Amino acid sequence: MARTLFGTDGIRGRANGIITPELALRVGMAAGLVFQRGDHRHRVVIGKDTRLSGYMIENALVAGFTAVGMDVLLLGPMPTPAVAMVTHSMRADLGVMISASHNPYDDNGIKLFGPDGYKLSDELETRIETLIAGDMGSMLAQPADMGRAKRIESVHARYIEFAKRTLPRNQSFDGLRVVVDCANGAAYRVAPEALWELGCEVITIGDQPDGFNINRDVGSTAPEALAAKVREVRADIGIALDGDADRVLIVDEKGRLVDGDQLMAVVAESFHEDGRLSRNGIVATVMSNLGLERHLADLGLTLARTPVGDRYVLEHMRANGFNVGGEQSGHIILSDYSTTGDGLVAALQVLAMVQRRQKPASEVCHRFEPLPQILRNVRYKSGRPLENDGVLRAIAAAELKLNSHGRLLIRPSGTEPVIRVMGEGDNRDLVEAVVNDVVEAVGLAAA
């Protein structure tokens, strides 16, 4: 059976459209059945971001899990990496994060983590989908064996302590003025508190969630507000998280954006200097800038590339022994500490590098000059625009124009109905021309 519900990052879609109470109920039942192994009392932890629909989905999941005999521990609003960490540390059988990450509030999603804190394999997701599509009535628990649900209050402190312990014991950020943008999302409590406990002077924006404003004009997908605030208060650095805090971007003291490629370079250099970088290289996706690859090569380090999606980065890291990887969008995976991207932990590593260098963030965080790279998104309603003859001809013509002077990457998003067209090369005018040609063709096919 081919997967139809699970994408590159769990199940995601419009709340009460794709993500309905019925679906959430069946996901809870199916996932609960798949992860019941042995005779012990089974447990699942559930976290969420700040979307209004989280209440609906949370309750439906609880009904599904308890119906098949799993006890449920409710964490409330917590970052995705915190849910993964707590799943493992509390010895739960399964972890669930209710979030659509960087998407608008009217979308939501369900991400699942195994007992080891890692996202599920394609095989397990397929097994869950098979159960969702079938009749689970005969598999429900007997009345005496149904699960219980309760809220856990100590999780915020547990995650903050975990994040702090990724730094040396004597690490302090005294004297650093930091603006943190929590995207009105899952980290609105834990991120400012962790930074304050480490000695930062903390100015916080995007920390007033109302169910509707997650990622709206704030966070890593809209860093302009952070840049303005950094300049206004003359901060040393700004930290932009996304709605579920598994990705991070940085703004330097001049208000300039630092993307995930630069952050991976910062962390790679720091780990390399300390002898902590495994395999003398890092893992990134096909979207990462060629400038990063060239910069690492100058340091004697390698860059392994994967398809787009942090799960593919992590799979390559685990299979080949890398401990640093990520995406240009700000998913930074430090596998010595986390089983998924962790925006707060990555930000702390960058702050530590700024403090060690005793130089401005603009110097520490800009490690290489990126090649001109242009990314355009084309939204479509249905069909397969990339199979259109006109689109195929446009792509072939664009690749011929670039020849060996750049690269072209066209792919459908794994999380929304969008075709992403990326071009990169030494000549910006040429890159822009070929990207525009392909975007126009895709737009006509998608109309």
Side-chain angles (χ1 to χ4, degrees):
M1 173 181 172
R3 294 185 309 156
T4 57
L5 289 174
F6 286 93
T8 58
D9 198 17
I11 303 171
R12 190 179 298 188
R14 190 174 180 84
N16 267 348
I18 293 175
I19 310 295
T20 62
E22 180 183 7
L23 175 63
L25 172 72
R26 296 187 69 80
V27 169
M29 292 167 61
L33 289 168
V34 167
F35 278 88
Q36 286 195 25
R37 304 165 182 179
D39 297 327
H40 65 279
R41 193 72 188 172
H42 292 82
R43 295 190 297 180
V44 55
V45 300
I46 300 179
K48 61 181 180 179
D49 63 24
T50 56
R51 295 163 210 269
L52 181 64
S53 57
Y55 294 101
M56 172 190 77
I57 298 166
E58 180 183 62
N59 286 319
L61 283 167
V62 169
F65 283 120
T66 55
V68 296
M70 290 194 87
D71 292 335
V72 181
L73 305 177
L74 296 168
L75 310 183
M78 287 293 292
T80 289
V83 174
M85 182 274 292
V86 170
T87 300
H88 182 59
S89 71
M90 296 191 74
R91 294 173 172 81
D93 299 279
L94 183 64
V96 183
M97 179 64 183
I98 303 167
S99 176
S101 190
H102 58 281
N103 287 24
Y105 87 92
D106 45 2
D107 285 347
N108 217 326
I110 301 171
K111 305 180 188 182
L112 302 176
F113 296 94
D116 56 3
Y118 287 98
K119 293 178 181 178
L120 304 189
S121 66
D122 291 352
E123 178 189 359
L124 281 171
E125 289 179 349
T126 300
R127 286 177 60 191
I128 292 169
E129 280 207 25
T130 302
L131 284 171
I132 290 171
D135 182 3
M136 292 179 279
S138 63
M139 306 177 196
L140 300 182
Q142 294 300 311
D145 298 325
M146 291 181 185
R148 303 172 185 267
K150 68 175 181 178
R151 292 204 171 270
I152 305 296
E153 301 296 336
S154 61
V155 175
H156 292 87
R158 183 189 291 243
Y159 175 65
I160 289 170
E161 192 59 29
F162 155 77
K164 288 162 57 180
R165 285 184 178 179
T166 64
L167 297 171
R169 189 173 183 83
N170 61 350
Q171 179 72 62
S172 170
F173 297 138
D174 289 346
L176 274 183
R177 177 178 289 184
V178 178
V179 181
V180 58
D181 181 351
C182 301
N184 291 318
Y188 77 100
R189 288 176 58 190
V190 293
E193 187 169 336
L195 292 165
W196 176 80
E197 289 186 16
L198 286 164
C200 296
E201 178 187 347
V202 183
I203 298 97
T204 308
I205 64 174
D207 62 338
Q208 300 294 321
D210 61 9
F212 303 97
N213 61 0
I214 187 170
N215 300 315
R216 185 198 296 162
D217 301 324
V218 286
S220 62
T221 53
E224 297 80 14
L226 176 63
K229 194 68 176 179
V230 166
R231 289 191 293 264
E232 175 194 336
V233 302
R234 298 182 180 179
D236 297 299
I237 197 168
I239 299 168
L241 303 170
D242 70 336
D244 68 333
D246 66 348
R247 67 166 73 180
V248 62
L249 297 178
I250 295 293
V251 168
D252 68 22
E253 82 283 357
K254 297 179 181 179
R256 295 189 304 171
L257 186 66
V258 181
D259 69 9
D261 284 348
Q262 297 282 358
L263 298 183
M264 283 188 282
V266 172
V267 174
E269 289 185 45
S270 173
F271 278 33
H272 185 52
E273 289 175 7
D274 295 340
R276 291 188 289 155
L277 187 67
S278 65
R279 296 297 308 272
N280 275 329
I282 69 171
V283 182
T285 75
V286 292
M287 295 295 290
S288 280
N289 196 279
L290 187 57
L292 171 62
E293 189 169 348
R294 292 176 178 176
H295 174 70
L296 292 173
D298 289 343
L299 299 173
L301 305 177
T302 63
L303 175 66
R305 292 185 184 267
T306 73
V308 173
D310 61 317
R311 66 180 297 171
Y312 301 115
V313 173
L314 184 56
E315 284 174 4
H316 192 89
M317 291 172 65
R318 295 181 72 187
N320 297 279
F322 290 89
N323 63 345
V324 176
E327 296 188 280
Q328 189 182 63
S329 60
H331 281 121
I332 310 297
I333 304 172
L334 308 177
S335 60
D336 290 345
Y337 311 123
S338 302
T339 57
T340 186
D342 192 320
L344 177 59
V345 167
L348 295 183
Q349 301 302 314
V350 173
L351 289 179
M353 193 66 161
V354 171
Q355 197 79 324
R356 176 196 293 186
R357 290 281 191 263
Q358 288 294 297
K359 292 181 179 179
S362 56
E363 291 186 40
V364 175
C365 296
H366 292 274
R367 307 311 304 156
F368 63 90
E369 194 61 39
L371 269 67
Q373 188 181 83
I374 296 171
L375 174 65
R376 300 274 190 269
N377 294 326
V378 185
R379 190 166 291 273
Y380 65 97
K381 293 182 179 179
S382 61
R384 299 175 181 271
L386 294 185
E387 295 178 7
N388 178 273
D389 288 342
V391 173
L392 294 174
R393 286 194 297 271
I395 292 172
E399 289 176 338
L400 189 62
K401 288 179 182 177
L402 281 175
N403 196 3
S404 59
H405 300 292
R407 63 191 185 105
L408 189 67
L409 180 67
I410 300 102
R411 65 178 186 88
S413 167
T415 58
E416 53 185 329
V418 163
I419 302 295
R420 306 198 193 281
V421 182
M422 190 274 284
E424 180 181 58
D426 293 299
N427 186 323
R428 184 177 184 85
D429 291 339
L430 175 61
V431 172
E432 191 161 12
V434 297
V435 167
N436 287 341
D437 289 345
V438 174
V439 166
E440 183 179 356
V442 173
L444 289 172

